[in-house]
Amino acid sequence: MFLSRGPGALCFFRRTGASRYFAHRFFATRSYDPLRILFCGSDEFSIASLKALHKEQQDQPDRISSIDVVCRPGKRVGRGLKKIREVPIKAAATDLSLPIHEIDTFKGWTPPILPGGPINLIVAVSFGLFVPPRILNDAKYGGLNVHPSLLPDFRGPAPLHYTLLAGRTRTGVTLQTLHLKHFDHGIILQQTPSPGFEIPNPESCTVPELLDIVSPKGAEILVDGIRKGLFVPPLEDAGWRSPEENESLVHAAKIKPEDRHIDWPNWTWLDISRRHRVIGPLWSKVLVASDASAKAHSFQYRRMIITEMEEVQPMKGSGAYAVVPGLPFVDGAHPVEPRQGKGVYVYTKDGKLVRIHTMKVEGEQNADAHRAALKARMIGVRTFSSDGFDYTPFYNPLL
């Protein structure tokens, strides 16, 4: 038998602060009808939650009677757009023998009516489409969402990326309701206890590595919230952040190509290396000369994608280039001499010297940085000498 929580117990937990900790499972579970779930997902994070829900359905069929899966249609990719790339969750749902509905918009679409009745709970995990109010209102228990951050911090579609970009050493997962108007503004029903769990090796952690950590935790908090019936009214806000903490919240906006554009005058080496690790490869614009066979030299800007780089110790005589962050140069003798050991270097805002090992100039293949610079005619003809060391500048700073 499922019992409701009494008001006395609620006051106790508010006084003790224990309502913040979803790990405490001595709450009595709220009663609810067998769930007919419409699960909306896409990627590996949502797949973990779907598999956990399916296992719960197998173990507790009296609680979860059915799961239907909604995903986006596959996209045509490759040369000639001849191949179709399916969203990962479609294969997972197929393996679990779950009904699949492929839609690119909710407009004109209605959830299926099942033998047991209509869908009564919407679960959206890393889906991408906004579930409209008409569908949420038609579901008896509304909607749930799992978000891989400690909301309201890192609201938005790229929480893992921004968590690492911000240099955070801890994070968490949140179970919230689906809001009728905005993404990630629902009522927080359950959340990783303060101050969150540690991110292993935060200064080297990548998005896939962090995804592997948060995915099972997200699945666990979803199943735990369903077992407790946290979606059954009256809903209780379990968010634990204070108003003071909310002042420094980060919005995890969609990652755009411009976010990979290096801002040499303002980014330190830490900024550059973090972005390269989290969202890279990064790029700049560089001025290149026209074809050598042309009668008159002309110049044009091309995009230069840096595919591999590292911080190195400053070289004797190269300090003049540190005055202008983003001014690339080549060490050694005259750049037209094909000699091993030549490197392409650039100083950052905070005076760190970076060697670019490989890069791809727009219109060319990825290659050793020095060879790529020569082929794209990025290197100037005058050499700067200091203390017996020769450094050849590019035509202008990277932009």
Side-chain angles (χ1 to χ4, degrees), residues 176-362:
Q176 62 173 335
T177 63
L178 288 174
H179 196 273
L180 293 176
K181 294 183 178 180
H182 305 289
F183 281 109
D184 303 332
H185 280 72
I187 298 172
I188 295 175
L189 302 177
Q190 211 163 218
Q191 198 163 43
T192 302
S194 175
F197 53 78
E198 291 186 358
I199 299 175
N201 306 310
E203 287 307 318
S204 62
C205 186
T206 63
V207 171
E209 290 170 345
L210 185 55
L211 179 64
D212 288 341
I213 296 170
V214 299
S215 293
K217 294 182 181 295
E220 178 187 353
I221 200 174
L222 172 62
V223 171
D224 192 57
I226 285 181
R227 286 173 179 167
K228 293 175 181 175
L230 298 183
F231 51 87
V232 179
L235 305 181
E236 300 167 18
D237 192 333
W240 49 259
R241 285 189 176 275
S242 66
E244 294 76 17
E245 289 177 301
N246 290 345
E247 294 178 0
S248 59
L249 299 179
V250 177
H251 175 57
K254 182 179 179 180
I255 300 296
K256 304 182 295 296
E258 192 61 28
D259 294 323
R260 299 183 178 91
H261 188 177
I262 302 177
D263 185 356
W264 293 103
N266 296 303
W267 288 4
T268 65
W269 167 241
L270 180 60
D271 296 326
I272 293 171
S273 59
R274 253 187 204 159
R275 287 189 180 239
H276 186 76
R277 167 169 52 91
V278 176
I279 64 173
L282 307 182
W283 61 274
S284 287
K285 286 184 178 179
V286 67
L287 197 62
V288 302
S290 62
D291 194 322
S293 62
K295 292 183 179 179
H297 271 304
S298 62
F299 299 88
Q300 61 178 325
Y301 282 107
R302 285 190 186 178
R303 181 173 294 195
M304 179 192 77
I305 300 174
I306 302 174
T307 52
E308 185 182 353
M309 59 181 164
E310 67 170 334
E311 180 190 1
V312 295
Q313 291 299 315
M315 299 181 297
K316 184 178 181 182
S318 68
Y321 290 99
V323 177
V324 184
L327 179 62
F329 60 93
V330 176
D331 66 339
H334 196 276
V336 298
E337 295 179 10
R339 223 178 58 175
Q340 282 191 339
K342 286 181 180 294
V344 176
Y345 300 86
V346 62
Y347 276 96
T348 62
K349 172 193 173 183
D350 55 337
K352 304 295 184 182
L353 181 62
V354 177
R355 176 166 182 166
I356 301 173
H357 289 289
T358 57
M359 63 186 189
K360 182 183 184 302
V361 181
E362 185 179 348

Side-chain angles (χ1 to χ4, degrees), residues 147-149 154-165 184 207 250-256 278-279:
H147 193 77
S149 81
F154 298 107
R155 281 174 173 150
L160 301 185
H161 296 79
Y162 280 88
T163 295
L164 296 177
L165 288 176
D184 303 332
V207 171
V250 177
H251 175 57
K254 182 179 179 180
I255 300 296
K256 304 182 295 296
V278 176
I279 64 173

Side-chain angles (χ1 to χ4, degrees), residues 44 61 77 94 119 127 133 143 146 170 218 228 268 279 294 318 328 335 396-397:
E44 297 300 326
V77 296
T94 301
I119 295 291
F127 183 46
V146 181
R170 309 183 78 90
K228 293 175 181 175
T268 65
I279 64 173
S318 68
N396 71 329

Side-chain angles (χ1 to χ4, degrees), residues 117-165:
I119 295 291
N120 58 9
L121 179 66
I122 313 295
V123 178
V125 183
S126 190
F127 183 46
L129 286 181
F130 188 81
V131 182
R134 68 175 176 86
I135 290 182
L136 289 176
N137 289 332
D138 285 346
K140 179 177 180 178
Y141 299 117
L144 294 176
N145 167 255
V146 181
H147 193 77
S149 81
L150 295 173
L151 290 175
D153 209 9
F154 298 107
R155 281 174 173 150
L160 301 185
H161 296 79
Y162 280 88
T163 295
L164 296 177
L165 288 176

Side-chain angles (χ1 to χ4, degrees), residues 75-85:
K75 292 185 177 181
R76 292 190 173 275
V77 296
R79 181 172 295 181
L81 301 179
K82 295 180 180 179
K83 294 183 178 181
I84 297 179
R85 179 185 296 161

